[in-house]
Amino acid sequence: MNEVNQACAAFQKLLEEQLARIANMNCEKTDFSTKKTVTIGVIDGDGIGPIITKQAARVLEKLLADEIAAGSIVLKYIEGLTIENRMACGQPIPSDVLAQIKSCDVLLKGPTTTPHGGTMESANVAMRRELDLYANCRPVSIPEKNIDWMFFRENTEGEYVLGSRGVELPGMAVDFKVTTDLGTRRIARAAFDYAKNNGKTHVSIVTKANIMKKTDGKFTAIAHEVAKDYPEITVEDYYIDIMTANLLKDPLRQQFQVVLLPNLYGDIITDEAAQIQGGVGTAGSSNVGDRYAMFEAIHGSAPRMIERGMGEYANPASIIKAAAMLLRHICRTEAAAKLEKAMDECTVIVTSDGKNATAAEYADALMSLL
Ligand code: IPM
Ligand code: MG
């Protein structure tokens, strides 16, 4: 078989797998308002992960102390999702770790290191796929600039679903991007439902449908179809390039409320938005599916900070914000509001240059406000 035939055979397999994936997509939603016991898995991750996750877990333990004592909340510390263990097992999430993860309802996860190149898939991408966490919600809020954005990034498809499964031929490499009707419909619905339930009046759909005609074309068309069920919400289309510029443009950017986008554009633009808010260390994020949800910082494991011996100065605000999102998700609204208020009031600053507080000092100050 020559290389082209081999590549075609690999492509055929990918297509069959993707069709099987969408055939199994539907699942019942977990109702946390009635669930008797909620298990929260805590995963350290790599690099600065253990340092910041530890602080977020302390905060959760304090806020949920009564429920933990009563058994209605279980905090389960899950070990083994480290780059060393993943490489040794040759799995993006070692099977025994995945089994523990699946025994939880929601997860608080520190950043994990993703190897460049090779075939080892990112642990994040694998977890989003394994738990079918299709909605990546990333809030950015800067009250003094009148900015209040919520990004709804599609989290299981697009450029990511086959990102580790491209093909190489002599002198050429090909990757694949996949957009499905069901996958787009459910993220669009999540974005419009959020808008409707939170008094938002405007959704921006962001793609590059002028170039990615099939996939982004489908994303746009289906998002507009879903929008018809929300006549009170206005919708506008932007291409990702100009949207990247618009996030810096006053007074246009003040008009954006809910932003709906495919996976890779959502990845990129939410780093930009977080930077506008004060840095990626300030941004939390939820990865939500029907059955499971996972909460994390939007940034990576910052190996350079560890190399420089500055890990203790990693800002835990990102993952603590994610912990607040987790509390809201499991209907612990009061605890979430308490934490958000304390974060607003906390004046302690953490900077990666080590000139200010450490992660632990920040958490101490924050906890004194709870
Ligand atoms: C994110 C991260 C991940 C992504 C990496 C770590 C795989 O950048 O959550 O934004 O690309 O989705
Ligand atoms: Mg990212």
Side-chain angles (χ1 to χ4, degrees):
M1 220 197 292
N2 69 21
E3 286 114 351
V4 172
N5 286 342
Q6 268 174 13
C8 289
F11 185 52
Q12 178 170 354
K13 190 160 170 265
L14 293 181
L15 292 178
E16 286 164 1
E17 278 177 28
Q18 289 306 302
L19 289 171
R21 178 175 68 83
I22 53 180
N24 291 316
M25 222 176 221
N26 281 330
C27 140
E28 218 166 284
K29 272 201 164 85
T30 306
D31 181 358
F32 287 103
S33 65
T34 54
K35 200 163 189 306
K36 292 235 157 31
T37 309
V38 177
T39 305
I40 305 174
V42 179
I43 305 172
D44 275 352
D46 302 306
I48 60 168
I51 297 167
I52 59 172
T53 308
K54 184 174 172 201
Q55 302 311 325
R58 280 177 69 207
V59 170
L60 283 182
E61 274 175 8
K62 174 154 191 193
L63 276 167
L64 299 171
D66 291 349
E67 285 213 73
I68 293 171
S72 53
I73 299 253
V74 176
L75 278 196
K76 181 168 172 171
Y77 291 90
I78 299 174
E79 283 173 15
L81 196 71
T82 58
I83 181 74
E84 295 79 13
N85 196 26
R86 277 147 50 214
M87 295 305 262
C89 299
Q91 289 178 298
I93 306 178
S95 311
D96 56 326
V97 179
L98 184 60
Q100 288 194 61
I101 287 174
K102 287 192 170 171
S103 73
C104 300
D105 299 298
V106 292
L107 299 140
L108 184 70
K109 186 185 87 43
T112 46
T113 298
T114 304
H116 291 266
T119 51
M120 173 61 77
E121 190 180 34
S122 134
N124 254 28
V125 173
M127 196 178 303
R128 290 166 182 167
R129 187 190 54 243
E130 287 292 338
L131 306 182
D132 204 19
L133 307 174
Y134 59 85
N136 188 193
C137 315
R138 299 188 154 177
V140 163
S141 145
I142 316 167
E144 62 280 14
K145 289 194 179 144
N146 201 18
I147 285 173
D148 189 11
W149 300 326
M150 180 59 117
F151 294 88
F152 274 82
R153 162 191 180 192
E154 200 294 316
N155 212 24
T156 48
E157 308 199 324
E159 303 77 359
Y160 279 65
V161 66
L162 297 174
S164 305
R165 311 271 305 273
V167 294
E168 278 195 87
L169 298 158
M172 181 168 95
V174 182
D175 277 323
F176 304 108
K177 166 162 172 166
V178 181
T179 299
T180 68
D181 289 23
L182 281 175
T184 307
R185 196 161 283 126
R186 63 185 185 174
I187 183 67
R189 199 154 291 290
F192 281 96
D193 278 343
Y194 171 85
K196 186 177 170 178
N197 297 334
N198 290 276
K200 307 290 179 193
T201 54
H202 192 66
V203 173
S204 310
I205 303 167
V206 179
T207 67
K208 190 74 183 174
N210 50 343
I211 302 300
M212 295 276 99
K213 290 183 189 290
K214 292 281 181 265
T215 49
D216 286 358
K218 178 181 281 304
F219 193 94
T220 308
I222 289 185
H224 278 277
E225 234 176 83
V226 171
K228 288 192 190 131
D229 292 338
Y230 305 80
E232 69 285 8
I233 294 171
T234 59
V235 181
E236 228 170 343
D237 290 299
Y238 286 97
Y239 293 134
I240 182 65
D241 45 355
I242 192 62
M243 190 61 172
T244 311
N246 286 344
L247 288 193
L248 300 173
K249 188 170 172 184
D250 294 314
L252 180 61
R253 61 178 175 171
Q254 278 75 13
Q255 290 163 26
F256 302 133
Q257 296 178 351
V258 178
V259 183
L260 167 63
L261 5 67
N263 209 337
L264 183 60
Y265 312 137
D267 173 48
I268 297 167
I269 211 169
T270 52
D271 268 18
E272 184 199 11
Q275 190 59 40
I276 296 170
Q277 176 181 253
V280 290
T282 66
S285 147
S286 67
N287 297 261
V288 179
D290 291 330
R291 161 88 178 80
Y292 297 103
M294 183 264 279
F295 300 80
E296 60 180 349
I298 83 158
H299 55 75
S301 56
R304 275 180 294 255
M305 278 188 84
I306 298 293
E307 274 163 32
R308 283 190 284 119
M310 299 301 277
E312 297 304 323
Y313 292 94
N315 192 350
S318 51
I319 193 162
I320 297 176
K321 254 185 211 169
M325 295 174 86
L326 182 155
L327 291 169
R328 278 201 187 278
H329 186 78
I330 61 170
C331 303
R332 271 45 178 197
T333 317
E334 216 174 287
K338 213 170 167 185
L339 177 53
E340 287 157 358
K341 183 165 173 280
M343 289 193 86
D344 283 345
E345 285 168 2
C346 187
T347 50
V348 171
I349 295 172
V350 184
T351 52
S352 54
D353 59 11
K355 290 196 176 128
N356 293 288
T358 62
E361 284 163 359
Y362 173 84
D364 289 344
L366 184 70
M367 284 163 69
S368 72
L369 298 169
L370 289 176

